[in-house]
Amino acid sequence: MLAERMKSFSESATSVVSNKVAELRAAGKEIISLNVGEPDFNTPAYINAAAVAAMEQGFTKYTPTAGILELRKAIAKKLQQDNNVSYDVAEISVAAGAKQSIFNAVMALVGPGDEVIVPVPCWVSYTEIVKLACGTPVLVETDVNQGYDLDVAAIERAITPRTKALILCTPNNPTGAVYKEASLRALAALAVKHGFYIIADEIYEKLIYDGEEHFSIASISPEVKALAVTINGFSKAYAMTGWRLGYAAASKEVIDAINKLQSQSVTSVNSITQKAAVAALEGPQEALAAMVEEFAQRRLYLVERLQRLQGLSCVVPKGAFYALLDISSVLGKSYQGEELKNDIDFCRLLLEAKLIALVPGSAFYAPGKVRIAYANSLENIKRAMDGMEAFLRELE
């Protein structure tokens, strides 16, 4: 019999869709994958070269639980230069991806009876990680009329004596929102007043458009920094998803707890990946700039095509590489005799009929919507939009 905790949380919905796509591809189907948050670019050559050099030099042994000193110094330098927040190397812990960093932070901070506020729509794993830590997720809607910015007044109403933390993601997955500095400052004031932590997932910070600017909440003041856990990594900015490397920066008390957890789980992070990550931070950044420019072009094309879809609507994303499309107006219609009752049906039938993979908005607590990732080639995005238009025309 499985542990009782296994009943409290769900499998990642994005992983479920990815597994289905892999199954169909194995059966010979050519799927247009707009479901996965993974840059379609190769990892830059200079980063690969650093990994090869590490192997050739025999850097293939265990490393310190918190990560090699060279990498933590590079991360500290990056946080100071890019985010205007100063962390000592002892306040940084490297993990096997930003997801593990979030998992470690939640497990270190949250326990039975604790509440964690999660602005929604949100990434699929936040609520499930909180549940695994025996905490209670408290969902608070963002303000769609303000481009899915934080609704600070609603957050304040959700605070109770049991509020232990809030998890935010900016730029946001799945909405593409870039939270405004004023909203983050107002949220920080609430955290200081009520004494709760803010776990700030900043993995998409480099992917921003239309002149928007990323703002790190930990940079506001020493009081806010003491309550902030800054999460970041290398998957999105450097096309290093499979390398699995992220990090958390926080007070030494929190990082010591995170390191204790990590010492009893993965022990330490892949040594070769850590050397590659040092190169990513310290090497040329032209590949990153070129990738962001390509994402910006794809975004403009996708939004223009989405705005042509009669009856559907989409808030223009300002960051990351996602658009959240409202399909509620077509729910209740049928495709070849089968009713589209919800966004899950929409995605399933679109995949079966047109071989286009999206993620249901319900996975992100956004029912009646679907997430479209433009982390794929412009050619594939064009084909996907042609297929979606045909699908919508065929609805009865």
Side-chain angles (χ1 to χ4, degrees):
M1 184 178 295
L2 297 177
E4 188 68 22
R5 75 175 67 89
M6 298 308 298
K7 300 176 183 178
S8 68
F9 68 102
S10 305
E11 182 180 3
S12 167
T14 50
S15 295
V16 170
V17 177
S18 295
N19 293 340
K20 180 63 176 178
V21 169
E23 178 185 317
L24 290 171
R25 283 177 172 158
K29 303 289 187 180
E30 185 179 347
I31 308 299
I32 304 175
S33 178
L34 302 186
N35 60 294
V36 64
E38 179 173 54
D40 61 323
F41 299 88
N42 291 327
T43 304
Y46 75 94
I47 298 175
N48 293 337
V52 171
M55 287 186 284
E56 290 178 343
Q57 294 164 11
F59 194 75
T60 56
K61 310 297 183 184
Y62 291 131
T63 67
T65 295
I68 60 175
L69 182 60
E70 181 184 11
L71 175 55
R72 286 182 289 140
K73 284 183 176 179
I75 291 169
K77 181 179 179 181
K78 179 262 178 223
L79 289 168
Q80 181 67 67
Q81 292 181 341
D82 293 356
N83 308 104
N84 194 33
V85 57
S86 177
Y87 284 104
D88 186 80
V89 292
E91 297 174 315
I92 295 168
S93 181
V94 177
K99 179 185 280 190
Q100 191 198 1
S101 294
I102 295 166
F103 179 91
N104 287 346
V106 172
M107 294 300 289
L109 295 174
V110 178
D114 290 336
E115 295 177 348
V116 178
I117 296 174
V118 184
V120 292
C122 71
W123 184 44
V124 298
S125 292
Y126 295 151
T127 55
E128 307 315 291
I129 291 172
V130 170
K131 292 174 187 176
L132 187 56
C134 299
T136 301
V138 177
L139 308 182
V140 177
E141 294 285 343
T142 48
D143 189 346
V144 66
N145 295 320
Q146 294 296 320
Y148 291 109
D149 193 26
L150 294 172
D151 186 337
V152 180
I155 290 171
E156 185 170 19
R157 290 192 296 269
I159 296 169
T160 75
R162 295 184 297 278
T163 301
K164 188 64 177 292
L166 178 146
I167 304 177
L168 63 83
C169 177
T170 182
N172 184 263
N173 173 11
T175 66
V178 177
Y179 294 156
K180 297 174 183 177
E181 180 178 339
S183 299
L184 292 169
R185 287 186 177 277
L187 172 62
L190 289 179
V192 171
K193 177 181 178 180
H194 296 279
F196 61 82
Y197 288 92
I198 297 173
I199 301 172
D201 182 354
E202 302 184 352
I203 190 69
Y204 297 99
E205 66 160 338
K206 298 295 185 181
L207 309 181
I208 292 186
Y209 321 103
D210 294 344
E212 295 288 329
E213 293 185 2
H214 172 73
F215 181 75
S216 290
I217 199 164
S219 68
I220 292 174
S221 69
E223 293 78 16
V224 176
K225 179 188 166 189
L227 293 169
V229 183
T230 302
I231 305 289
N232 212 320
F234 298 81
S235 295
K236 315 302 181 182
Y238 298 100
M240 293 177 68
T241 52
W243 297 75
R244 306 312 302 133
L245 197 129
Y247 57 87
S251 68
K252 190 173 184 301
E253 178 186 26
V254 173
I255 292 300
D256 284 349
I258 285 173
N259 289 337
K260 185 187 296 185
L261 284 166
Q262 190 151 287
S263 73
Q264 298 292 0
S265 54
V266 299
T267 301
S268 61
V269 178
N270 183 296
S271 58
I272 301 158
T273 295
Q274 291 185 68
K275 284 289 189 178
V278 172
L281 291 175
E282 296 185 343
Q285 304 296 302
E286 287 82 0
L288 167 58
M291 187 169 67
V292 173
E293 177 58 31
E294 178 63 25
F295 283 142
Q297 293 180 24
R298 296 175 187 178
R299 180 187 68 109
L300 291 176
Y301 176 83
L302 176 65
V303 169
E304 192 274 329
R305 289 291 300 269
L306 291 176
Q307 289 174 339
R308 283 195 231 160
L309 300 177
Q310 188 172 2
L312 307 189
S313 62
C314 174
V315 173
V316 178
K318 300 294 186 179
F321 38 56
Y322 308 108
L324 196 62
L325 179 67
D326 189 335
I327 60 161
S328 57
S329 64
V330 302
L331 298 182
K333 295 186 178 183
S334 297
Y335 183 81
Q336 297 184 354
E338 185 168 354
E339 183 182 357
L340 279 68
K341 299 183 183 70
N342 50 44
D343 51 279
I344 298 171
D345 287 343
F346 182 96
C347 289
R348 176 177 57 81
L349 290 169
L350 182 65
L351 179 57
E352 292 173 357
K354 303 299 181 183
L355 304 181
I356 300 166
L358 309 179
V359 183
S362 296
F364 309 98
Y365 298 94
K369 299 179 175 65
V370 296
R371 191 192 74 173
I372 305 172
Y374 49 94
N376 205 323
S377 70
L378 189 57
E379 177 186 357
N380 282 337
I381 293 171
K382 290 178 179 179
R383 290 172 55 215
M385 291 308 302
D386 290 343
M388 189 182 300
E389 286 181 352
F391 178 79
L392 291 169
R393 285 196 300 267
E394 294 163 15
L395 294 180
E396 302 168 352

